[in-house]
């Protein structure tokens, strides 16, 4: 919970006297004095906007997908309030001190290890208050209700009443941090809400019965599993059962607010309990899994996952017919990696609902809420948390505010707080986005319920993130088979000596006459028997597929026998789309260089039907999909312009900085929109976000482009845990496209490589290519060499009846290479992507070929140029492998059979031996060559620790030597 808090009297560094006034109250005593001066006009106007640092309307409001949240404005102080604040300036400072530091003195630790901290900042003597009976006017300073029944504010109160009210409001079992928020409207809302008892929900007997059920039933499940499955690691909820109360209250408020859907992510701890006791997940499915069986039908050959990663879609019904659908997304083993995925899914669902409703008053967050649960150690320690938080207020990534619940068990694996973070609270990282924090003691479930009310109402009003720090403990070790006292003996002495949270609450209900012990015992026995019946039912449980439903119903698991997808488009339509892709409205003044070298050249190429470059082919793919009703979203750093100034999907007015996306003005009925999402400088969170979008939007082309290919490596966690195994573990497909610029261009060793070998290693492409069983690998990895190929790849991604990720090692130098162009005929009706491109010269005279060179990527053009110079060049065939996975066995075999006189077979690449695609291709090519009594040779760079040398002269010499070796001894 708390760490590194100095002893009493040592905390002066955080004194309110040195905090910036803007963080405390809009009016300091000096400001009040000035405002009261005859020379100063008192203003009663309301502020016109929320705080937004260094704000400028840079493109976004003109771009599809941007959503401007409504500004929430609270009235400023009137003249009477201002004068009273000036008169009682020391009381203003004292009240603000409690708002600032009252949380430090709160009762937050269920174990009592840390205790309450007596901050000098809230000692009333320090402000000159000695008489508890002294009466003060409260107008404009503090809200105290007149009574329990009359909730209108008192006009005055004694200092004793004031002190008691401040302690009760800010230093009880809930602690608030909100004074760091720059927006005065948010600070004022929080102060009014915390201090006004009318905001805090009254706890009814119905609430208490529900709390009892959630707490005690969760404990019964833990005890049941411990008895029946003692060797199973379930990562139980014991010690943090109040988490169930927080979630139930959150979903209840969500339903009452007519929010249709909650997208939720959480780690493994407590997940089984949440699924079973809150999200209507049949316990028999859990018990079936822990017995060693699959959660999917055996004939599907799905690997599955552990039960603490299970997922759920359910509808929760609450009072008066209110309901909301809750989707708990699948969770990988890597802590917090699910955060951006859930955020992307929530955003995509909200955009989908927004478009369907066509309601101009609908904001992002009105219909969908993002809910994220975290562990305390991982929230502080994992960088993806910071990266995900940084997306929260960005126009193309915000989900309208996420409710974060940190289930704070005060230990990470075996690591104590002192070694787990450098901050006082685990929630402190949330202050980077000015998120308010509500700390609450998990031993007091009714206060947990109240804390959720504050969090939810803030999120709903301001559409921003809010954090609940639910301080609990962990009754067992990291798992139930662990012995925690090896490393935390004193902590676990306290834990084992105390009663559980459900038992404490049950005793409270008995003492209040709300429940009898007999009723409690009967309920516990009933629940235990229900679990036993589910266990018995699990013995004969037959799993079923629950995923391909709703918007996913048109899609399927591929069998390997799917026909080729034709992706060509009518040429006249392509010309129309291409012309529109560079046509700005008259209000946009285009940069003259763009007009000359981008727009006019594209128009000329389209008119001729030849020389189509990469950016144009991409625009034609995007535009044709849009025209057919498929939304397109491209995300990444500088994707609007393109890293290499090649795309220019958005045109920016040189006079106003207004922007326009020409493809969003296509003249076709029912055309969809292109969202160009220029991201922040993040890969891990942004890729995870786009993966979440792809899960929610199978009808959309979702593309993430790396600024340079190597940038994708910082998103490796998403590739390893979601991209490569999502379908195999959870039967969730994704059609996410990764565009990864690849190839040496002098930018540096790392920038040269997208590490294509890593993606190939993640593919489940059969190693033994002669097996008879048809199989479609988990993703496609391609290295295309012509614009027509990229056109077909992007369209194929949507035209298939299944969704698999597409990894494109894209070009840099080929973007403007005249030899690397295509014609409109290559994209016309009846055409499609070609996994192999044969040598156009050698295929005309195959008998002359003695050496077959297989290769991939841009190096083809260097070798083709060298071949054209040589009189014996007809003896070499340069065969491009465009699709590396799935391994194009059939197409390569046909080409090898074509060159009957070949006796030498080479794999050539510009990458090093331990990178690139050689290690993937070598064993598979050798299996094809084995009947010929041949083996593939390697020509390329040797093994390096880096993808390429950083010395350009050496790189050129090495490549020249390799090319010379390739053409030697023909």
């Amino acid at each position: 919970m708390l760490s590194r808090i100095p002893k009493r009297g040592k905390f002066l560094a955080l004194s309110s006297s040195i905090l910036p006034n803007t963080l405390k109250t809009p009016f300091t005593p000096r400001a009040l004095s000035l405002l009261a001066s005859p020379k100063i006009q008192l203003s009663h106007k309301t502020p016109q906007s929320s705080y937004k640092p260094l704000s400028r309307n840079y493109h976004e409001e003109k771009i599809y997908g941007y959503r401007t949240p409504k500004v929430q404005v609270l009235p400023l102080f009137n003249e009477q309030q201002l004068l009273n604040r000036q008169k009682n300036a020391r009381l203003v400072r004292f009240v603000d001190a409690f708002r600032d530091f009252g949380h430090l003195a709160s009762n937050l630790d269920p174990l009592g290890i840390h205790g309450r901290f007596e901050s000098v900042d809230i000692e009333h003597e320090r402000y000159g208050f000695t008489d508890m009976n002294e009466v003060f006017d409260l107008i404009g300073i503090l809200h105290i209700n007149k009574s329990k029944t009359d909730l209108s504010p008192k006009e005055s109160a004694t200092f004793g009443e004031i002190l008691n009210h401040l302690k009760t409001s800010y230093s009880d079992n809930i602690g608030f941090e909100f004074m760091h928020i720059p927006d005065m409207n948010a600070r004022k809302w929080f102060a009014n809400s915390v201090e006004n008892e009318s905001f805090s929900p009254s706890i009814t007997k119905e609430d208490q019965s529900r709390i009892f059920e959630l707490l005690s039933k969760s404990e019964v499940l833990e005890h049941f599993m411990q008895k029946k499955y003692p060797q199973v690691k379930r990562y139980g909820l014991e010690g943090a059962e109040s988490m169930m109360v927080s979630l139930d209250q959150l979903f209840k408020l969500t339903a009452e607010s007519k929010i249709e859907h909650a997208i939720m992510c959480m780690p493994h701890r407590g997940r089984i309990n949440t699924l079973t006791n809150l999200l209507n997940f049949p316990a028999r499915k859990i018990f079936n899994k822990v017995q060693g069986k699959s959660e999917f039908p055996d004939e599907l050959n799905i690997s599955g996952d552990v039960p603490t990663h299970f997922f759920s879609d359910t509808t929760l019904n609450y009072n008066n017919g209110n309901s909301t659908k809750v989707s708990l997304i699948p969770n990988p083993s890597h802590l917090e990696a699910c955060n951006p995925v859930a955020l992307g899914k929530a955003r995509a669902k909200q955009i989908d609902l927004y478009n369907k409703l066509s309601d101009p008053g609908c904001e992002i967050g009105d219909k969908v809420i993002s809910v994220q649960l975290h562990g305390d150690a991982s929230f502080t320690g994992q960088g993806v948390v910071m990266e995900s938080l940084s997306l929260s207020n960005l126009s193309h990534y915000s989900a309208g505010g996420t409710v974060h619940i940190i289930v704070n068990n005060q230990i990470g694996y075996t690591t104590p707080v002192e070694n787990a973070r450098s901050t006082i609270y685990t929630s402190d990282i949330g202050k980077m986005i000015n998120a308010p924090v509500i700390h609450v003691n998990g031993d007091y479930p009714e206060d947990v319920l109240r804390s959720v009310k504050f969090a939810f109402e803030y999120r709903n009003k301001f559409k921003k993130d809010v954090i609940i720090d639910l301080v609990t403990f962990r009754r067992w070790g990291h798992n139930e088979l662990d012995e925690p006292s090896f490393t935390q003996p004193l902590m676990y002495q306290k834990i084992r000596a105390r009663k559980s949270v459900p038992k404490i609450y049950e005793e409270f209900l008995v003492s209040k006459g709300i429940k009898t012990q007999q009723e409690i015992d009967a309920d516990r026995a009933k629940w235990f028997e229900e679990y036993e019946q589910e266990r018995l039912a699990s013995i004969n449980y037959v799993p079923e597929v629950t995923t391909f439903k709703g918007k996913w119903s048109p899609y399927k698991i591929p069998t390997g026998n799917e026909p080729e997808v034709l992706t060509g488009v009518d040429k006249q339509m392509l010309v129309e789309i291409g012309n529109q892709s560079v046509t700005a409205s008259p209000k946009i003044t285009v940069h003259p260089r763009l007009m000359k070298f981008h727009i006019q050249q594209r128009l000329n190429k389209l008119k001729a039907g030849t020389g189509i470059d990469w950016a144009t082919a991409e625009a034609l793919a995007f535009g044709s999909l849009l025209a057919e009703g498929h939304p397109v979203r491209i995300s990444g750093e500088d994707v609007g312009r393109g890293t290499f100034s090649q795309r220019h999907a958005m045109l920016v007015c040189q006079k106003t900085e207004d922007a326009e996306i020409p493809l969003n003005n296509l003249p076709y009925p029912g055309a969809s929109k292109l969202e160009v999402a220029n991201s922040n400088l993040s890969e891990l969170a942004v890729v995870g976000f786009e993966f979440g979008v792809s899960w929610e939007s199978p009808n959309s082309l979702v593309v993430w482009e790396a600024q340079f290919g190597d940038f994708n490596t910082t998103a490796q966690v998403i590739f390893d845990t979601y991209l490569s195994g999502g379908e195999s573990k959870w039967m969730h497909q994704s059609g996410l496209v990764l565009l990864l610029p690849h190839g040496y261009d002098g930018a540096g060793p790392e920038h040269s490589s997208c590490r294509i070998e890593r993606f190939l290693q993640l593919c489940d492409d059969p190693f033994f290519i002669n097996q008879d069983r048809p199989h479609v690998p988990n993703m496609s990895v391609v290295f295309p060499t012509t614009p027509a190929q990229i056109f077909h790849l992007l369209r194929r991604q949507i035209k298939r009846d299944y969704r698999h990720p597409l990894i494109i090692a894209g070009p840099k130098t080929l973007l403007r290479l005249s030899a690397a162009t295509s014609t409109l005929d290559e994209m016309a009706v009846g055409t499609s992507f070609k996994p192999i491109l044969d040598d156009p010269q050698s295929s005309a005279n195959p008998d002359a070929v003695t050496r077959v060179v297989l290769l991939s990527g841009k190096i083809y053009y260097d070798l083709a140029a060298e071949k054209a110079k040589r009189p014996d060049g007809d003896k070499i065939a340069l065969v491009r492998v465009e699709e590396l996975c799935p391994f194009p066995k059939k197409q390569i075999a046909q080409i090898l059979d074509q060159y009957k006189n070949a006796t030498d077979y080479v794999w050539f690449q510009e990458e090093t031996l331990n990178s690139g695609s050689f290690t993937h291709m070598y064993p598979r090519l050798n299996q094809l060559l084995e009947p010929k009594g041949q083996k593939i040779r390697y020509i390329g760079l040797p093994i390096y620790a880096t993808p390429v040398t950083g010395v350009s002269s050496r790189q050129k010499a090495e490549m020249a030597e390799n090319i010379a070796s390739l053409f030697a001894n023909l």
Side-chain angles (χ1 to χ4, degrees), residues 61-62 584-590 651-661 665:
E61 292 193 25
K62 308 296 181 182
S585 61
K587 64 181 181 180
I588 300 293
T589 302
V590 180
L651 299 177
V652 181
C653 180
Q654 298 302 295
K655 295 181 179 179
T656 64
E657 281 193 353
D658 283 353
E660 190 170 83
I661 298 177
N665 299 319

Side-chain angles (χ1 to χ4, degrees), residues 923-934:
R924 294 168 174 84
L925 290 173
N926 277 338
Q927 291 175 60
L928 282 178
L929 291 170
E930 188 174 5
K932 300 177 182 292
Q934 298 288 339

Side-chain angles (χ1 to χ4, degrees), residues 14-223:
L14 291 182
S15 169
S16 59
S17 62
I18 63 170
L19 283 175
N21 289 325
T22 54
L23 296 183
K24 291 155 34 55
T25 178
F27 297 98
T28 63
R30 174 167 169 75
L32 287 167
S33 176
L34 290 172
L35 285 170
S37 167
K39 298 179 181 180
I40 301 296
Q41 183 71 37
L42 282 173
S43 173
H44 311 309
K45 296 180 180 178
T46 56
Q48 296 301 304
S49 65
S50 299
Y51 174 83
K52 192 174 181 182
L54 304 179
S55 173
R56 52 188 288 216
N57 293 326
Y58 184 68
H59 308 341
E60 296 298 353
E61 292 193 25
K62 308 296 181 182
I63 299 295
Y64 171 78
Y66 178 86
R67 296 291 184 268
T68 306
K70 292 179 181 177
V71 175
Q72 298 296 333
V73 177
L74 278 69
L76 288 173
F77 302 105
N78 59 37
E79 183 172 354
Q80 181 185 7
Q81 292 171 330
L82 285 172
L83 292 175
N84 187 53
R85 289 173 65 84
Q86 177 187 16
K87 174 184 175 183
N88 294 293
R90 64 188 179 118
L91 182 59
V92 170
R93 290 181 59 77
F94 182 63
V95 170
D96 279 351
F98 257 95
R99 293 167 179 166
D100 263 318
F101 304 117
H103 57 90
L104 292 173
S106 297
N107 173 36
L108 300 180
D109 183 8
L111 300 179
I113 295 174
H114 300 285
R116 296 179 186 240
F117 174 64
E118 298 180 12
S119 172
V120 296
D121 291 278
I122 56 175
E123 291 179 348
H124 58 275
E125 298 90 350
R126 189 165 177 247
Y127 298 85
F129 297 110
T130 57
D131 184 0
M132 291 294 165
N133 296 315
E134 186 177 0
V135 177
F136 293 89
D137 290 338
L138 301 178
I139 299 173
I141 299 176
L142 182 66
H143 184 111
I144 299 180
N145 299 112
K146 287 183 176 178
S147 67
K148 291 290 183 181
T149 55
D150 185 356
L151 300 180
S152 59
K154 284 187 174 184
E155 293 186 359
S156 63
T158 65
F159 182 75
E161 292 176 292
I162 292 170
L163 181 61
N164 181 65
H165 185 63
L166 289 172
K167 287 182 176 180
T168 302
S169 299
Y170 292 104
S171 298
D172 200 5
N173 300 322
I174 306 177
F176 298 90
E177 290 188 273
F178 60 89
M179 292 294 279
H180 58 278
I181 304 176
D183 182 4
M184 187 203 70
N185 296 292
R187 296 198 309 273
K188 192 167 184 180
W189 178 89
F190 246 106
N192 290 345
S193 301
V194 173
E195 295 159 17
N196 187 346
E197 291 184 24
S198 64
F199 185 86
S200 183
S202 57
I203 307 299
T204 64
K205 288 186 178 180
E206 182 182 1
D207 293 328
Q208 291 172 325
S209 294
R210 178 61 174 163
I211 291 171
F212 157 71
E213 179 183 358
L214 290 165
L215 295 179
S216 300
K217 194 174 182 180
S218 67
E219 186 172 64
V220 170
L221 176 61
E222 301 290 354
H223 291 174

Side-chain angles (χ1 to χ4, degrees), residues 911-914 938 940-944 958 962:
E911 298 95 342
T912 62
L913 178 60
N914 56 325
Y938 170 78
L941 295 175
I943 291 177
Y944 277 2
E958 289 174 334
N962 289 336

Side-chain angles (χ1 to χ4, degrees), residues 644 708 743-748 751-752 812-813 858:
F644 308 101
F708 288 90
Y744 184 79
D745 64 350
H751 283 354
S752 301
K812 298 178 183 179
T813 57
K858 76 177 187 68

Side-chain angles (χ1 to χ4, degrees), residues 261 325 345 348-353 356 547-555 693-700 803:
H261 212 123
K325 186 175 181 181
K345 182 175 173 66
K349 183 173 285 292
Q350 176 70 82
I351 289 291
D352 187 40
L353 290 172
K356 288 179 181 176
T547 45
F548 292 92
K549 296 181 179 180
K551 63 177 64 177
W552 279 96
S553 57
Y555 307 96
V693 173
S694 73
W695 260 359
E696 182 59 34
S697 309
N699 188 49
S700 302
R803 294 288 178 262

